Amino acid sequence: MNKNFGQGGAFSLFKGVPLKLILVALFLLQISLAVGLTGYLSIDNGQKAVNEVTSKLRREIGNRVEQNLQTYLSTPRQVLGSNQNIIDLGLLKIENLATWESYLIEQLKIFPDALILTASNEQQEHLAAEKLNDREFLLRKAGKSTGYDLYTYKIDSQGQRTQLPEVIKNYDARSRPDYQTAVTAKKFSFSQIFTPLTEPTLLIGASQPIYNSQGQLLGVNSTLTHLSQIGDLLQNIKVGKSGQIFIIERSGLLVASSTTEEPFRLQNGKPIRLAATQSRNYFTQATAKYLTTKFNNFDQIKSLQQLDFSVDGKRQFLEIRPLQSESNVNWLIVVAVPEADLIGQINRNAQTTIFLCLGVLGLAILLGIITANWLTQPILYISNVIKDLANFNCKDSIVKVQGIKELEVLGESFNEMAQELQKNFTALTNKNEELELQVKQRTQERMNSEQKLQKHHQVLVKLANHKAISEGSLETAFKVITEKAANALEVERVSVWLFNSDRTKLQCINLYERSNQIHSAGLERNLADYLIYFKTLAASSTIIVTDTRTDLRVQELWDELLAPKNIVSLIDTSIWVGDKVVGTVLYEQIDAPRTWELSEQNFVSSIAEFVALTLEICECKRAESALREAKEAVEVANRAKSTFLENISHDLRNPLSSILEMTQGLQSEVYGPVNEEQRQSSKYARNLAVRTY
């Protein structure tokens, strides 16, 4: 076939143009396109990567903050719930706070340092314990013994109490926000953030009201948490290089921040809540002002939102999400990440890529010129080699090409072609032999499968004709069934199990062990001990287990029943009589796991049907026997009735005859005249005697 390659179209434009110039121009064009496309994709992919990474980063950080806060806020619920249980058991009484002191201190040894535990009652008594470190505690106490003034004590590791000079006169814990919140809510609840009388800080309380059996309020058990601890929690979460996390209330007041800034400022020695827009941190303040402008009212934020805004011309990424995991805790979590934290390295990489591309472009031009000069020298010789190859038809000829590696490879490839052809013929022959071997193997497998099916069929035919099964002889039939099934499937153990009358256990009627050739019975499996196994048995007609060590359906049986016998595979088939499962046939394989073939599964189903048939025949035999015994009993009763009636008839006939003769004589006045009353009586007696006779 003749082909005029390059004689028309675009190739005609290069007619008469030197090959050197064409190669250089093509190299330059390709590299220019590659550089431009690489630069564009680098910038575009960088921006997409920033957006994607930032979105994931904000979401992951927000999830982590939310999870940490939920865990942190769940601690008071656990503490107060545990205390409520102890109160319900009568081990603590809120009316007697003297017993609470040692208990609260022991609790503080378990829970975080920032937690303050308090107990207050309606008698204006109050007790609060706070952990200073592992060896010292603060105890605040007010009540009748202190003249209802609040005294503060320090307790050391030996339990020695030292009174501190701080005393608050006429202290009533019932006026505290945490106490009032619990009374108002009448259940576990968090209070609003408040300032305690004892120190210039901000606290949030979680309270549990305590009632007696008549529903009367006895007091409140509370935990108090410093907001600074929530700030410490946020500081442990890193957000890029300069990103921030802060929490605000719906009112815009700051709750906590990942910076060192406190959410309040002191005025005349008292803490004043700080709005996020008034933060001394410039980034926090700018973010809060943007959110205020964006939403106007923070109550509009119902779900997670991701935003971006600019601060001093620099793009910032932002996520805000509500936290409403606890009662009265309605906060907003804000995660802010500057774009510069993420895009700086990407921009530097993009610049490096562009410079490298420009360098490669210059190098490509130089290499194009060198390559063109190098290719023009051997091109004529290559043309002659091609002509020789076109007329080459002798398999012993050898082509020799030197210079350019690709041309050398081409010559070597041509020389190897004849050898490869012979190798291909040899490989084809070997492949045919492999295919023939595979066909033989498949044929042998099919023959083995057919032999198994024939063996199974013969066993089923023998069982169908066996006298014990047709007569319903359970013991003999089950021995025959288990033994033949074990030999046919080549398994170690085959057993028949039946439910007891109330279906609370399975009882082994017959167990055949193939290696010992012995039968046994009497094993039991209780429903209460193997709930999952019994449930699976009820839901599935057949349980097929290849490896009992990993199958969850029989894990309950492993330690006690399967492992001691080294049973590693099993198949369990339900026995159906009518529409009810009455038992199961169990096949157990030892030593090596076994994959049960479909033919084997069908065979065990047929065995289960023979067991069911035997049970039905046995039941029919029992019914026939009972019916026959009942019939004989009825016949005996009929004969006894007839004999009894004959005897009674004979015994009554003589006196009744006398009565009839006497009444007839009275009516005929043989014994003299009778009055009307006597005549009626004799008539009645005669009629009665006639009916009886």
Side-chain angles (χ1 to χ4, degrees):
M1 180 181 295
N2 295 324
K3 292 186 178 180
N4 296 325
F5 182 74
Q7 295 301 313
F11 291 98
S12 62
L13 299 176
F14 299 98
K15 185 177 180 180
V17 180
L19 179 61
K20 181 189 301 184
L21 184 59
I22 293 175
L23 292 175
V24 172
L26 291 177
F27 276 130
L28 181 61
L29 177 62
Q30 293 175 7
I31 297 301
S32 299
L33 292 175
V35 169
L37 184 60
T38 301
Y40 170 77
L41 292 177
S42 176
I43 297 173
D44 184 65
N45 291 336
Q47 189 61 49
K48 290 180 180 178
V50 168
N51 294 336
E52 183 177 353
V53 170
T54 304
S55 177
K56 291 182 179 179
L57 177 65
R58 286 178 287 175
R59 190 176 296 274
E60 290 176 0
I61 293 173
N63 290 337
R64 184 178 174 189
V65 172
E66 185 173 6
Q67 292 172 1
N68 289 350
L69 285 176
Q70 289 176 348
T71 302
Y72 192 82
L73 295 177
S74 66
T75 300
R77 184 182 290 274
Q78 298 173 5
V79 174
L80 300 182
S82 174
N83 292 349
Q84 182 67 56
N85 293 334
I86 295 176
I87 293 172
D88 293 340
L89 293 173
L91 301 178
L92 285 176
K93 294 184 179 298
I94 195 67
E95 306 95 315
N96 181 15
L97 296 184
T99 60
W100 283 71
E101 180 176 330
S102 59
Y103 174 74
L104 294 181
I105 291 177
E106 289 299 321
Q107 272 195 313
L108 287 175
K109 293 178 181 179
I110 303 174
F111 294 103
D113 297 349
L115 203 64
I116 303 174
L117 303 179
T118 73
S120 310
N121 59 29
E122 284 293 281
Q123 288 74 42
Q124 201 177 337
E125 293 181 328
H126 174 72
L127 186 68
E130 180 178 359
K131 185 178 181 181
L132 297 177
N133 51 53
D134 291 338
R135 292 175 295 179
E136 292 183 320
F137 300 87
L138 275 184
L139 184 70
R140 291 187 172 91
K141 184 176 181 181
K144 186 176 180 180
S145 61
T146 63
Y148 300 101
D149 296 335
L150 182 66
Y151 285 81
T152 302
Y153 303 91
K154 180 180 287 188
I155 301 177
D156 59 20
S157 58
Q158 284 76 34
Q160 298 296 324
R161 180 186 297 184
T162 303
Q163 182 178 341
L164 301 180
E166 178 186 358
V167 177
I168 298 177
K169 296 293 184 179
N170 196 25
Y171 184 80
D172 190 353
R174 296 173 298 179
S175 61
R176 289 202 332 266
D178 59 307
Y179 195 102
Q180 294 178 354
T181 298
V183 173
T184 302
K186 297 182 179 180
K187 62 179 181 180
F188 173 86
S189 182
F190 278 87
S191 70
Q192 297 297 319
I193 297 172
F194 65 95
T195 302
L197 298 176
T198 55
E199 55 183 323
T201 186
L202 294 179
L203 300 176
I204 182 171
S207 307
Q208 175 70 45
I210 301 172
Y211 298 91
N212 60 16
S213 57
Q214 290 78 33
Q216 181 181 2
L217 179 67
L218 300 179
V220 173
N221 183 204
S222 302
T223 66
L224 304 178
T225 303
H226 291 272
L227 288 188
S228 59
Q229 288 297 316
I230 300 178
D232 295 341
L233 190 69
L234 299 182
Q235 291 176 23
N236 293 329
I237 302 176
K238 184 174 179 59
V239 188
K241 293 182 179 180
S242 58
Q244 293 182 12
I245 309 169
F246 59 91
I247 302 172
I248 59 175
E249 293 182 327
R250 297 281 180 169
S251 61
L253 294 177
L254 191 63
V255 175
S257 172
S258 61
T259 65
T260 57
E261 180 182 20
E262 294 286 352
F264 61 87
R265 57 185 176 86
L266 293 177
Q267 183 176 343
N268 298 326
K270 294 183 179 181
I272 303 298
R273 293 290 302 277
L274 190 67
T277 54
Q278 300 173 343
S279 171
R280 290 183 292 273
N281 185 282
Y282 179 72
F283 191 26
T284 303
Q285 182 185 119
T287 304
K289 288 181 178 180
Y290 167 75
L291 289 174
T292 302
T293 304
K294 174 73 176 177
F295 294 102
N296 190 23
N297 184 355
F298 288 153
D299 290 333
Q300 298 177 5
I301 303 175
K302 304 296 183 183
S303 60
L304 181 148
Q305 297 192 41
Q306 291 191 339
L307 310 166
D308 59 84
F309 67 104
S310 296
V311 176
D312 296 335
K314 297 180 180 179
R315 191 182 181 194
Q316 315 293 326
F317 296 103
L318 179 66
E319 178 181 288
I320 183 168
R321 64 169 68 191
L323 174 70
Q324 297 174 328
S325 59
E326 295 289 350
S327 175
N328 289 350
V329 178
N330 190 6
W331 298 343
L332 296 174
I333 301 172
V334 181
V335 179
V337 185
E339 184 184 37
D341 286 2
L342 302 172
I343 204 172
Q345 185 62 40
I346 294 177
N347 286 337
R348 288 191 292 273
N349 291 340
Q351 292 175 359
T352 302
T353 301
I354 293 173
F355 288 136
L356 287 175
C357 289
L358 292 175
V360 169
L361 178 61
L363 182 61
I365 295 173
L366 179 61
L367 290 177
I369 297 173
I370 295 174
T371 302
N373 290 329
W374 186 35
L375 288 176
T376 54
Q377 297 298 323
I379 195 67
L380 183 59
Y381 176 72
I382 293 175
S383 299
N384 294 330
V385 171
I386 293 174
K387 291 178 181 180
D388 293 339
L389 291 175
N391 299 322
F392 183 74
N393 55 9
C394 182
K395 64 180 181 180
D396 294 329
S397 298
I398 298 176
V399 176
K400 294 183 179 180
V401 180
Q402 295 180 351
I404 300 174
K405 181 64 176 179
E406 286 74 10
L407 297 177
E408 291 180 357
V409 171
L410 180 61
E412 293 173 358
S413 299
F414 185 84
N415 294 331
E416 293 173 357
M417 187 181 303
Q419 299 176 3
E420 289 297 326
L421 184 60
Q422 182 62 36
K423 291 181 180 179
N424 288 337
F425 280 120
T426 303
L428 182 60
T429 303
N430 294 335
K431 187 64 175 178
N432 288 335
E433 293 177 354
E434 291 178 3
L435 291 175
E436 290 177 0
L437 180 60
Q438 291 179 2
V439 169
K440 290 180 180 179
Q441 292 176 347
R442 297 288 177 83
T443 303
Q444 185 62 38
E445 291 176 358
R446 189 179 77 251
M447 292 176 62
N448 293 338
S449 178
E450 290 177 352
Q451 290 176 357
K452 285 184 179 180
L453 289 175
Q454 183 65 24
K455 186 177 181 180
H456 294 169
H457 177 70
Q458 292 174 356
V459 170
L460 295 177
V461 170
K462 290 179 180 179
L463 291 178
N465 297 324
H466 202 281
K467 183 178 179 181
I469 296 177
S470 61
E471 292 181 352
S473 177
L474 294 184
E475 183 177 357
T476 304
F478 288 169
K479 286 184 177 180
V480 173
I481 290 173
T482 54
E483 184 171 343
K484 289 188 177 298
N487 292 328
L489 288 176
E490 298 180 355
V491 295
E492 172 59 21
R493 293 156 56 96
V494 177
S495 54
V496 177
W497 300 72
L498 297 179
F499 282 107
N500 62 346
S501 57
D502 57 1
R503 300 182 70 82
T504 58
K505 65 176 66 175
L506 279 171
Q507 299 172 326
C508 182
I509 308 304
N510 185 272
L511 167 64
Y512 177 70
E513 297 182 61
R514 184 164 167 260
S515 60
N516 301 325
Q517 296 184 356
I518 59 173
H519 292 270
S520 60
L523 298 177
E524 293 184 348
R525 292 182 181 178
N526 294 316
L527 171 63
D529 298 332
Y530 311 109
L531 294 176
I532 296 177
Y533 171 71
F534 274 79
K535 183 177 180 181
T536 304
L537 192 62
S540 304
S541 59
T542 303
I543 302 175
I544 302 171
V545 179
T546 300
D547 194 340
T548 57
R549 295 166 295 186
T550 59
D551 199 302
L552 297 178
R553 298 173 295 178
V554 294
Q555 283 301 294
E556 298 171 311
L557 310 176
W558 174 251
D559 292 333
E560 184 178 354
L561 303 178
L562 303 180
K565 300 291 185 181
N566 197 22
I567 298 170
V568 294
S569 298
L570 62 84
I571 184 167
D572 208 336
T573 307
S574 300
I575 304 171
W576 290 81
V577 175
D579 58 350
K580 184 178 181 181
V581 177
V582 300
T584 179
V585 183
L586 179 60
Y587 308 80
E588 297 169 309
Q589 172 77 19
I590 64 172
D591 295 335
R594 176 172 178 173
T595 300
W596 302 95
E597 299 178 2
L598 180 60
S599 61
E600 294 172 336
Q601 299 175 28
N602 295 332
F603 176 71
V604 300
S605 298
S606 300
I607 293 296
E609 292 176 0
F610 273 106
V611 175
L613 177 62
T614 305
L615 291 173
E616 291 176 346
I617 293 174
C618 180
E619 190 65 27
C620 290
K621 294 288 185 181
R622 291 176 182 172
E624 290 175 359
S625 177
L627 182 60
R628 185 167 52 252
E629 291 175 359
K631 182 178 180 182
E632 292 174 355
V634 170
E635 290 176 353
V636 171
N638 287 336
R639 288 196 298 270
K641 176 182 177 184
S642 300
T643 303
F644 174 75
L645 292 177
E646 288 176 1
N647 293 336
I648 291 298
S649 175
H650 180 271
D651 292 339
L652 292 178
R653 191 171 285 113
N654 291 333
L656 289 175
S657 298
S658 300
I659 292 173
L660 289 173
E661 291 175 359
M662 184 179 295
T663 54
Q664 185 175 2
L666 289 174
Q667 289 181 352
S668 302
E669 296 183 352
V670 174
Y671 305 104
V674 293
N675 57 31
E676 183 62 28
E677 183 179 356
Q678 291 174 335
R679 182 177 287 106
Q680 292 297 329
S681 296
S682 64
K683 183 179 180 180
Y684 175 76
R686 177 178 174 81
N687 292 336
L688 181 60
V690 170
R691 288 197 300 271
T692 304
Y693 191 82

Short mmCIF file of all heavy atoms in Angstrom, two decimals, residues 335-365:
data_model
loop_
_atom_site.label_atom_id
_atom_site.label_comp_id
_atom_site.label_asym_id
_atom_site.label_seq_id
_atom_site.Cartn_x
_atom_site.Cartn_y
_atom_site.Cartn_z
N VAL A 335 -14.87 30.54 64.33
CA VAL A 335 -13.51 30.13 63.94
C VAL A 335 -13.08 31.05 62.80
O VAL A 335 -13.74 31.09 61.75
CB VAL A 335 -13.46 28.66 63.50
CG1 VAL A 335 -12.04 28.29 63.07
CG2 VAL A 335 -13.94 27.74 64.60
N ALA A 336 -11.99 31.79 62.98
CA ALA A 336 -11.51 32.74 61.97
C ALA A 336 -10.08 32.39 61.60
O ALA A 336 -9.22 32.21 62.48
CB ALA A 336 -11.59 34.17 62.51
N VAL A 337 -9.81 32.27 60.28
CA VAL A 337 -8.48 31.90 59.78
C VAL A 337 -8.08 32.89 58.70
O VAL A 337 -8.78 33.02 57.69
CB VAL A 337 -8.48 30.46 59.20
CG1 VAL A 337 -7.07 30.06 58.82
CG2 VAL A 337 -9.09 29.48 60.18
N PRO A 338 -6.96 33.60 58.85
CA PRO A 338 -6.48 34.49 57.77
C PRO A 338 -6.04 33.66 56.56
O PRO A 338 -5.44 32.60 56.69
CB PRO A 338 -5.29 35.21 58.42
CG PRO A 338 -5.49 35.05 59.89
CD PRO A 338 -6.16 33.74 60.07
N GLU A 339 -6.37 34.19 55.37
CA GLU A 339 -5.98 33.51 54.14
C GLU A 339 -4.46 33.41 54.03
O GLU A 339 -3.93 32.44 53.50
CB GLU A 339 -6.56 34.24 52.94
CG GLU A 339 -6.28 33.57 51.61
CD GLU A 339 -6.79 34.38 50.43
OE1 GLU A 339 -6.71 35.62 50.49
OE2 GLU A 339 -7.26 33.78 49.45
N ALA A 340 -3.78 34.39 54.57
CA ALA A 340 -2.32 34.42 54.47
C ALA A 340 -1.68 33.23 55.15
O ALA A 340 -0.58 32.80 54.77
CB ALA A 340 -1.78 35.72 55.07
N ASP A 341 -2.34 32.67 56.18
CA ASP A 341 -1.78 31.51 56.87
C ASP A 341 -1.69 30.31 55.94
O ASP A 341 -0.86 29.42 56.14
CB ASP A 341 -2.66 31.14 58.08
CG ASP A 341 -2.48 32.13 59.22
OD1 ASP A 341 -1.72 33.09 59.05
OD2 ASP A 341 -3.11 31.93 60.28
N LEU A 342 -2.56 30.27 54.94
CA LEU A 342 -2.65 29.09 54.09
C LEU A 342 -2.06 29.32 52.70
O LEU A 342 -1.49 28.41 52.10
CB LEU A 342 -4.12 28.65 53.94
CG LEU A 342 -4.84 28.33 55.26
CD1 LEU A 342 -6.31 28.10 54.98
CD2 LEU A 342 -4.24 27.10 55.91
N ILE A 343 -2.23 30.54 52.17
CA ILE A 343 -1.86 30.76 50.77
C ILE A 343 -0.41 31.19 50.59
O ILE A 343 0.11 31.19 49.48
CB ILE A 343 -2.79 31.83 50.15
CG1 ILE A 343 -2.84 31.66 48.63
CG2 ILE A 343 -2.35 33.23 50.53
CD1 ILE A 343 -3.87 32.52 47.96
N GLY A 344 0.28 31.53 51.70
CA GLY A 344 1.66 32.00 51.57
C GLY A 344 2.55 30.98 50.89
O GLY A 344 3.25 31.27 49.92
N GLN A 345 2.51 29.74 51.39
CA GLN A 345 3.35 28.70 50.82
C GLN A 345 2.93 28.38 49.40
O GLN A 345 3.77 28.10 48.53
CB GLN A 345 3.27 27.44 51.70
CG GLN A 345 4.19 26.32 51.26
CD GLN A 345 5.66 26.72 51.32
OE1 GLN A 345 6.09 27.39 52.25
NE2 GLN A 345 6.43 26.32 50.32
N ILE A 346 1.60 28.44 49.14
CA ILE A 346 1.10 28.16 47.79
C ILE A 346 1.60 29.22 46.81
O ILE A 346 2.02 28.91 45.68
CB ILE A 346 -0.43 28.09 47.79
CG1 ILE A 346 -0.89 26.88 48.63
CG2 ILE A 346 -1.00 27.99 46.39
CD1 ILE A 346 -2.38 26.76 48.77
N ASN A 347 1.59 30.50 47.21
CA ASN A 347 2.09 31.57 46.34
C ASN A 347 3.59 31.40 46.06
O ASN A 347 4.06 31.60 44.94
CB ASN A 347 1.83 32.93 46.98
CG ASN A 347 0.36 33.30 46.91
OD1 ASN A 347 -0.38 32.80 46.06
ND2 ASN A 347 -0.08 34.17 47.80
N ARG A 348 4.32 31.03 47.10
CA ARG A 348 5.76 30.83 46.90
C ARG A 348 6.01 29.66 45.95
O ARG A 348 6.90 29.72 45.09
CB ARG A 348 6.44 30.59 48.26
CG ARG A 348 6.54 31.84 49.12
CD ARG A 348 7.44 31.62 50.31
NE ARG A 348 6.86 30.66 51.26
CZ ARG A 348 6.03 30.99 52.23
NH1 ARG A 348 5.68 32.27 52.40
NH2 ARG A 348 5.54 30.07 53.05
N ASN A 349 5.21 28.61 46.10
CA ASN A 349 5.36 27.46 45.19
C ASN A 349 5.01 27.85 43.76
O ASN A 349 5.66 27.40 42.80
CB ASN A 349 4.47 26.31 45.65
CG ASN A 349 4.95 25.71 46.96
OD1 ASN A 349 6.11 25.87 47.33
ND2 ASN A 349 4.05 25.02 47.65
N ALA A 350 3.97 28.70 43.59
CA ALA A 350 3.58 29.13 42.25
C ALA A 350 4.69 29.96 41.60
O ALA A 350 4.99 29.80 40.41
CB ALA A 350 2.28 29.92 42.32
N GLN A 351 5.29 30.87 42.36
CA GLN A 351 6.39 31.67 41.82
C GLN A 351 7.57 30.79 41.42
O GLN A 351 8.17 30.98 40.35
CB GLN A 351 6.84 32.69 42.87
CG GLN A 351 5.80 33.78 43.14
CD GLN A 351 6.21 34.70 44.26
OE1 GLN A 351 7.28 34.53 44.85
NE2 GLN A 351 5.37 35.69 44.57
N THR A 352 7.88 29.84 42.28
CA THR A 352 8.97 28.92 41.96
C THR A 352 8.68 28.15 40.68
O THR A 352 9.55 27.95 39.82
CB THR A 352 9.19 27.94 43.12
OG1 THR A 352 9.47 28.68 44.31
CG2 THR A 352 10.33 26.99 42.83
N THR A 353 7.40 27.72 40.53
CA THR A 353 7.01 26.98 39.33
C THR A 353 7.18 27.83 38.07
O THR A 353 7.67 27.36 37.04
CB THR A 353 5.55 26.51 39.46
OG1 THR A 353 5.41 25.70 40.62
CG2 THR A 353 5.11 25.73 38.23
N ILE A 354 6.77 29.09 38.14
CA ILE A 354 6.88 29.98 36.98
C ILE A 354 8.35 30.18 36.59
O ILE A 354 8.72 30.12 35.41
CB ILE A 354 6.19 31.32 37.27
CG1 ILE A 354 4.67 31.10 37.40
CG2 ILE A 354 6.48 32.33 36.17
CD1 ILE A 354 3.91 32.33 37.84
N PHE A 355 9.21 30.44 37.59
CA PHE A 355 10.63 30.64 37.29
C PHE A 355 11.24 29.38 36.68
O PHE A 355 12.05 29.45 35.74
CB PHE A 355 11.39 31.04 38.56
CG PHE A 355 11.09 32.44 39.03
CD1 PHE A 355 10.86 32.72 40.36
CD2 PHE A 355 11.03 33.49 38.11
CE1 PHE A 355 10.58 34.00 40.78
CE2 PHE A 355 10.74 34.78 38.52
CZ PHE A 355 10.52 35.04 39.87
N LEU A 356 10.85 28.23 37.22
CA LEU A 356 11.37 26.99 36.68
C LEU A 356 10.91 26.78 35.24
O LEU A 356 11.68 26.32 34.38
CB LEU A 356 10.92 25.81 37.55
CG LEU A 356 11.61 25.69 38.92
CD1 LEU A 356 10.98 24.54 39.72
CD2 LEU A 356 13.10 25.46 38.76
N CYS A 357 9.65 27.13 34.97
CA CYS A 357 9.13 26.99 33.60
C CYS A 357 9.88 27.88 32.62
O CYS A 357 10.19 27.47 31.49
CB CYS A 357 7.64 27.30 33.57
SG CYS A 357 6.61 26.04 34.38
N LEU A 358 10.18 29.11 33.04
CA LEU A 358 10.93 30.01 32.16
C LEU A 358 12.33 29.47 31.91
O LEU A 358 12.86 29.54 30.78
CB LEU A 358 10.99 31.41 32.79
CG LEU A 358 9.65 32.16 32.87
CD1 LEU A 358 9.83 33.48 33.62
CD2 LEU A 358 9.09 32.41 31.47
N GLY A 359 12.94 28.93 32.97
CA GLY A 359 14.26 28.34 32.78
C GLY A 359 14.22 27.15 31.85
O GLY A 359 15.11 26.97 30.99
N VAL A 360 13.17 26.33 32.00
CA VAL A 360 13.03 25.17 31.13
C VAL A 360 12.81 25.61 29.68
O VAL A 360 13.29 24.99 28.74
CB VAL A 360 11.86 24.28 31.62
CG1 VAL A 360 11.52 23.22 30.59
CG2 VAL A 360 12.24 23.63 32.94
N LEU A 361 12.06 26.72 29.49
CA LEU A 361 11.82 27.23 28.15
C LEU A 361 13.13 27.60 27.46
O LEU A 361 13.38 27.24 26.30
CB LEU A 361 10.88 28.44 28.22
CG LEU A 361 10.56 29.13 26.90
CD1 LEU A 361 9.86 28.17 25.96
CD2 LEU A 361 9.71 30.38 27.14
N GLY A 362 14.00 28.33 28.18
CA GLY A 362 15.29 28.70 27.59
C GLY A 362 16.14 27.48 27.30
O GLY A 362 16.78 27.38 26.24
N LEU A 363 16.13 26.53 28.24
CA LEU A 363 16.92 25.33 28.04
C LEU A 363 16.38 24.52 26.87
O LEU A 363 17.15 23.91 26.10
CB LEU A 363 16.90 24.49 29.32
CG LEU A 363 17.71 23.20 29.30
CD1 LEU A 363 19.19 23.50 29.06
CD2 LEU A 363 17.53 22.44 30.61
N ALA A 364 15.02 24.51 26.71
CA ALA A 364 14.42 23.76 25.62
C ALA A 364 14.83 24.33 24.26
O ALA A 364 15.05 23.59 23.29
CB ALA A 364 12.90 23.77 25.77
N ILE A 365 14.92 25.66 24.16
CA ILE A 365 15.36 26.27 22.89
C ILE A 365 16.77 25.83 22.55
O ILE A 365 17.08 25.45 21.41
CB ILE A 365 15.25 27.81 23.00
CG1 ILE A 365 13.78 28.22 23.18
CG2 ILE A 365 15.87 28.47 21.78
CD1 ILE A 365 13.61 29.70 23.46
#
